[in-house]
Amino acid sequence: MDTTRASVKKFVYSHYLYNGVRQSIGVTLPPFLLIGVFEQPVIGMAAAFGALCVSTMDQPGPHQHRLNGMLGCAVLGTLAALITGMATSWPAVLLVAVLAQTFFFGLFSAFGRKGGMVGFACLLLMTLTMHTAVTPQVAMWHALATLCGGLWYTAFSVVTSRLAGLKQERQALAVGLFATAEYIEAKAHFYDINLDLQSAYRALVPKQAALAEKQQAARDLVLRIVPRNAAERTDKRRVLLSNIFIDMVDLQETMLATYTDYDVLRHALPDSDLLLFARDALIKLAHEIDNVGMAVARNRPLQRSTTIKAELRAMEYETVLLKKRDFPQTEPEAWIVVVQIVRRLRNAARLVVRMQMHTRTENMAPEQLMRADSTLVQFMSRDEVSLKRLTTNFTLKSPHMRYALRLSVAVGAGLLCAWGLELGADWLGIQTGGRSDWVILTILVIMKPGFALSWQRNRWRLAGTLIGCVLTLLVMNFTQNTIALLCVMLLATILSNSLLQLNYMASSTFNTVQVLLAFHFLSPGSLIMVGERAIDAVIASLLVWACSYFLPYWENRSILPLAKAAVAANRRFLQVCRQPVAASSPGLPETRNDLTWRLARRNVHAAFGNFADAFYRMMLEPKSKRIATSHLNDLLVQNHMLAAQISSTAPLMVVVGSPERQPAELKDTLDALDLALADAETRLLTPAAGPQPAEAMPDIATPAISTDALHAISRALEPLAAQCQALNDDPNDTAFETAHLTHQLRQMIRTVQRIREDAFAVQAGPGAVPEFSAQRAEPVIIPQG
């Protein structure tokens, strides 16, 4: 975890800390009142457990979705608490009740991320309810207190959200801006000749995947407040946040479109200061976006700002020197790349300046600033909840069914193991806390549907639990004062909730302190409980490790559909690129702004992020369970490249015009690219029956996408290029757009060919085709470890 001053400042103003504080206050206020004032520890902790269950659903997102999730948690959690409490007096009945609920709520992962959170919350409440045997009458009172605690937290969250106004939206947007800055800074490494490209790619791909996730979280919140009528358009706060978000997304596309053949660029300009200026410009832009994000999070105007005018002028001067050396004639491809970099940096600088303006514009009319459209609500994520999604997963082929069974086996084994330890301790005359819930709780927290995530969390949770036990011992030896311990529990709850998405081991440490202190109020003065919890954590960790191999669902089962989805998204992106919109003004092409393009672009980023996450998870699994790692790795790189190339091509297609005006040679080439991508999609979903020889792979470089076709395209586009306004990059070359377009097409042909090669290699199986990635110029990005 980054602990620099800037990172700590971002954390303080982020929604992570804000949500952590809100959740902690909502969860601990009932026990503060019921224990500290009314001296009702049992009822107080039951209410706290109900609030804790509901608080897991209190995550950034549209208010209506959050409200529905919290109410569903309150009802289902109360039912789980009632069933478990009624069964605690009979061990056999309790075992059946626990296993049935574990299986049922484990299947909730079929409803997606939020469905999995609801299932986990209910299982958490089930576990916290089984800590002691009670009569059915007491169980009903506990369930009622649990329901009251859940409803209390729901009301508390709704009220605080209303009072906070647009705070949550600002914080989510700020986190998206911080992620954008990290992505741009990662792009800067490509222009540092002292860093190898493999390291640059390894740093970039995770940043892009994280950026897609955080931008979607910001999208779900910010687009909800987009002004849709005249009354709302007078609210400058909504207008400015919406515009900053739109500029942030456009900036990401601009940075994506700056992809170049970095290896060619480094060889063509090994000693030029142009690359140094480009690197410094990107680093400065990243710093300014960080400042904009901080201003948005603090709801304050950005007082001081910097620009990259000096770097742009220095780069323009370098281009003049290159022209004097006849660089455009001797290195035409590298020259096109240089001009593209300068153009994109100009566009990026304009977007950053506009975002800076939006943080401090108070006197301008909102109509002058608003560029959003109500149709942008189509970009918000929606969670579909239906019984069909649950019933269709009643098969062992379903990863959700396998997870529910695996979790049930682990929980059942944990419960029996805990009971066996208790019986053994009683036989030996060793006094214990007499509770088995910690083993179950640890299993539920650690075990996840994926092997890699469970393996990671297993280590982090075990380390965090042991550290938390030591901290709890220190605190309880220092003081036994009830109010002091409640304050420590509140602080631990805040840190546990705030750090959950940033540092899981630290979050586990404070969560252990929180739960141990909660159990202390139910059984005061028992320090042996801390040692028991450490032993239970070790047992649970071993059980999770063993049960992870029971009906596992390896990533090799799902990674090919995700790879296919990434290729399909790029194919759709290319199809939209072929339908250019009319230029708003002559001259330098601007970023496309139509709804169809934005949807296609969003889908590309989302599909790429899903593919990248699955690939990295697969690389954490046993080597025997990994498939086609080098080819899938290269496929990941090529999909990133193709998205960047399409983004660069889209504004150039405006020069060409509508499909009716496009030359036949260009149409044929784009048709061939589309067919090649379609073939790659098909191959990724239809594995071959067995290994095939390399000679079986069809020739991909068809005449339709040969070099001769590119020359024909250039000649056909010359009349159109002559009509373009002369650009500042090269006033004497009116055909520059034609050269730029053919350069992009050449790159796309090469990239699509490699995508199809990788798809064929994955289909054919190991040893069937040569190792393409070993012979290619661009580096692979297989992660370390």
Side-chain angles (χ1 to χ4, degrees):
M1 180 178 176
D2 192 355
T3 56
T4 60
R5 184 169 178 265
S7 298
V8 172
K9 191 175 180 181
K10 291 178 186 178
F11 171 71
V12 170
Y13 287 101
S14 70
H15 63 73
Y16 301 116
L17 181 60
Y18 172 73
N19 288 340
V21 172
R22 182 177 64 190
Q23 291 173 356
S24 303
I25 294 175
V27 170
T28 56
L29 198 54
F32 259 100
L33 294 176
L34 294 171
I35 297 175
V37 178
F38 298 102
E39 298 182 353
Q40 295 291 331
V42 177
I43 299 298
M45 293 313 301
F49 291 156
L52 177 64
C53 168
V54 174
S55 70
T56 59
M57 294 302 299
D58 190 13
Q59 303 294 330
H63 291 314
Q64 188 60 45
H65 292 181
R66 288 171 49 223
L67 178 60
N68 294 340
M70 288 188 291
L71 289 175
C73 255
V75 174
L76 292 175
T78 301
L79 182 61
L82 179 60
I83 294 173
T84 306
M86 298 282 281
T88 52
S89 298
W90 303 278
V93 177
L94 178 62
L95 178 62
V96 173
V98 167
L99 292 179
Q101 291 181 85
T102 302
F103 176 77
F104 175 70
F105 289 119
L107 277 177
F108 274 40
S109 62
F111 293 124
R113 177 176 173 271
K114 290 185 178 179
M117 290 171 60
V118 172
F120 169 76
C122 295
L123 291 176
L124 175 65
L125 194 50
M126 175 198 75
T127 306
L128 295 174
T129 305
M130 58 183 287
H131 64 273
T132 186
V134 296
T135 63
Q137 184 179 5
V138 174
M140 294 180 66
W141 282 107
H142 284 185
L144 180 60
T146 299
L147 178 62
C148 292
L151 295 177
W152 144 256
Y153 186 88
T154 302
F156 171 81
S157 176
V158 171
V159 171
T160 54
S161 297
R162 298 297 182 188
L163 293 177
L166 300 178
K167 185 178 183 65
Q168 191 177 33
E169 287 77 6
R170 291 198 306 269
Q171 291 175 330
L173 179 58
V175 170
L177 289 166
F178 296 149
T180 304
E182 292 177 0
Y183 172 74
I184 293 176
E185 188 171 2
K187 292 278 288 187
H189 297 327
F190 287 92
Y191 300 96
D192 190 341
I193 60 176
N194 296 318
L195 296 176
D196 65 280
L197 292 177
Q198 184 174 2
S199 299
Y201 273 110
R202 187 177 292 122
L204 179 69
V205 172
K207 298 293 185 184
Q208 184 174 344
L211 175 60
E213 178 184 353
K214 292 176 181 177
Q215 279 195 354
Q216 184 60 46
R219 183 179 287 112
D220 288 340
L221 283 171
V222 174
L223 294 188
R224 185 184 61 84
I225 62 169
V226 169
R228 297 178 179 84
N229 52 53
E232 291 183 346
R233 287 177 185 269
T234 61
D235 189 345
K236 291 183 179 180
R237 301 175 305 162
R238 293 183 173 213
V239 171
L240 296 180
L241 289 179
S242 301
N243 286 341
I244 291 175
F245 172 78
I246 294 170
D247 287 335
M248 176 183 71
V249 176
D250 286 343
L251 180 63
Q252 182 199 8
E253 181 183 7
T254 300
M255 289 294 100
L256 179 68
T258 56
Y259 169 78
T260 63
D261 194 337
Y262 297 106
D263 192 58
V264 171
L265 191 63
R266 289 184 176 193
H267 282 89
L269 299 170
D271 302 319
S272 175
D273 290 335
L274 191 142
L275 297 182
L276 177 64
F277 293 136
R279 183 202 65 183
D280 293 345
L282 288 174
I283 293 176
K284 188 179 288 188
L285 282 176
H287 179 70
E288 278 308 296
I289 296 169
D290 261 340
N291 291 339
V292 172
M294 187 59 64
V296 170
R298 300 173 65 183
N299 195 24
R300 295 180 183 178
L302 185 62
Q303 300 296 339
R304 298 178 60 185
S305 59
T306 59
T307 67
I308 60 170
K309 290 182 179 179
E311 285 77 11
L312 285 174
R313 289 174 180 172
M315 293 178 70
E316 290 168 358
Y317 177 71
E318 289 293 325
T319 60
V320 172
L321 296 181
L322 290 175
K323 291 177 187 177
K324 291 181 179 180
R325 291 163 39 194
D326 294 329
F327 186 80
Q329 289 73 36
T330 57
E331 298 284 350
E333 286 199 11
W335 171 247
I336 291 174
V337 169
V338 167
V339 175
Q340 181 196 49
I341 292 173
V342 176
R343 282 185 176 185
R344 295 296 175 181
L345 285 177
R346 286 191 195 131
N347 286 338
R350 283 197 292 268
L351 290 170
V352 172
V353 169
R354 199 155 60 188
M355 285 192 288
Q356 293 169 342
M357 177 193 69
H358 291 331
T359 66
R360 54 176 175 249
T361 301
E362 297 294 338
N363 300 320
M364 295 182 67
E367 293 79 7
Q368 295 177 318
L369 301 176
M370 188 61 204
R371 293 173 288 107
D373 188 275
S374 60
T375 56
L376 292 178
V377 296
Q378 298 181 44
F379 292 85
M380 296 174 61
S381 58
R382 290 175 171 82
D383 297 316
E384 179 187 353
V385 179
S386 65
L387 185 61
K388 184 178 179 181
R389 291 187 64 178
L390 200 63
T391 56
T392 54
N393 283 279
F394 280 100
T395 170
L396 283 180
K397 294 182 179 179
S398 167
H400 309 294
M401 180 69 165
R402 286 171 168 258
Y403 168 64
L405 290 172
R406 185 166 59 252
L407 185 64
S408 301
V409 170
V411 168
L415 188 57
L416 293 175
C417 185
W419 285 347
L421 289 176
E422 290 177 9
L423 291 175
D426 291 341
W427 183 73
L428 294 174
I430 301 175
Q431 184 180 2
T432 66
R435 289 188 295 270
S436 55
D437 47 341
W438 189 267
V439 176
I440 311 302
L441 178 64
T442 307
I443 290 173
L444 292 175
V445 171
I446 293 176
M447 183 164 279
K448 296 299 175 184
F451 178 90
L453 186 56
S454 295
W455 183 72
Q456 280 186 329
R457 289 203 167 199
N458 201 339
R459 295 179 301 159
W460 294 338
R461 184 74 188 189
L462 181 59
T465 298
L466 296 178
I467 296 173
C469 289
V470 173
L471 290 179
T472 305
L473 281 175
L474 294 176
V475 170
M476 295 178 68
N477 278 313
F478 181 76
T479 181
Q480 290 289 323
N481 182 272
T482 300
I483 301 299
L485 291 178
L486 283 172
C487 292
V488 173
M489 188 174 76
L490 174 62
L491 178 61
T493 305
I494 292 174
L495 293 175
S496 174
N497 293 332
S498 302
L499 296 172
L500 183 59
Q501 299 182 47
L502 300 176
N503 190 312
Y504 186 75
M505 190 176 77
S507 176
S508 300
T509 299
F510 293 110
N511 178 260
T512 301
V513 175
Q514 168 200 351
V515 176
L516 286 175
L517 290 179
F519 283 134
H520 167 72
F521 292 117
L522 300 176
S523 179
S526 178
L527 291 180
I528 195 174
M529 168 187 61
V530 179
E532 291 178 26
R533 299 294 79 87
I535 296 174
D536 291 344
V538 174
I539 294 172
S541 178
L542 293 174
L543 286 174
V544 169
W545 172 78
C547 292
S548 294
Y549 292 92
F550 174 73
L551 293 178
Y553 192 86
W554 305 108
E555 290 296 333
N556 59 33
R557 292 173 175 262
S558 61
I559 196 168
L560 293 187
L562 292 175
K564 183 259 182 187
V567 175
N570 264 321
R571 182 187 173 202
R572 173 59 181 162
F573 204 30
L574 179 60
Q575 290 171 350
V576 176
C577 175
R578 299 178 63 177
Q579 306 288 332
V581 295
S584 57
S585 60
L588 185 64
E590 291 284 349
T591 302
R592 283 188 63 166
N593 197 34
D594 57 294
L595 179 65
T596 305
W597 174 261
R598 289 180 179 275
L599 282 169
R601 178 181 63 190
R602 192 278 306 267
N603 293 337
V604 164
H605 296 323
F608 178 83
N610 293 335
F611 181 25
D613 288 341
F615 178 76
Y616 286 127
R617 290 194 301 267
M618 186 182 72
M619 295 304 295
L620 293 174
E621 294 178 347
K623 290 184 178 181
S624 62
K625 304 302 179 182
R626 305 173 193 172
I627 61 168
T629 54
S630 59
H631 298 295
L632 288 174
N633 181 87
D634 190 68
L635 189 62
L636 185 65
V637 176
Q638 300 309 315
N639 271 280
H640 167 72
M641 292 180 179
L642 182 58
Q645 292 157 4
I646 295 173
S647 293
S648 298
T649 304
L652 301 175
M653 293 295 290
V654 176
V655 177
V656 182
S658 61
E660 295 77 19
R661 297 178 53 192
Q662 295 173 8
E665 296 85 353
L666 177 60
K667 290 182 180 180
D668 292 342
T669 299
L670 295 175
D671 286 341
L673 293 175
D674 184 84
L675 289 174
L677 290 174
D679 183 63
E681 289 181 54
T682 303
R683 291 178 182 277
L684 287 171
L685 283 186
T686 54
Q692 299 180 15
E695 295 77 10
M697 185 172 66
D699 183 17
I700 297 173
T702 60
I705 52 177
S706 65
T707 304
D708 293 339
L710 292 176
H711 292 320
I713 292 172
S714 298
R715 290 192 298 269
L717 292 177
E718 286 177 0
L720 296 175
Q723 300 174 15
C724 297
Q725 178 181 351
L727 302 174
N728 294 329
D729 303 299
D730 196 346
N732 298 320
D733 187 3
T734 58
F736 180 79
E737 295 301 334
T738 299
H740 195 175
L741 178 57
T742 52
H743 169 72
Q744 292 297 336
L745 288 173
R746 183 179 293 108
Q747 285 192 318
M748 279 197 289
I749 290 170
R750 192 178 304 131
T751 302
V752 170
Q753 176 175 343
R754 286 179 52 171
I755 287 176
R756 193 178 176 195
E757 287 176 353
D758 287 323
F760 177 86
V762 172
Q763 178 203 44
V769 292
E771 191 69 25
F772 297 118
S773 56
Q775 306 170 8
R776 292 169 173 171
E778 290 85 350
V780 294
I781 56 168
I782 292 178
Q784 299 285 352

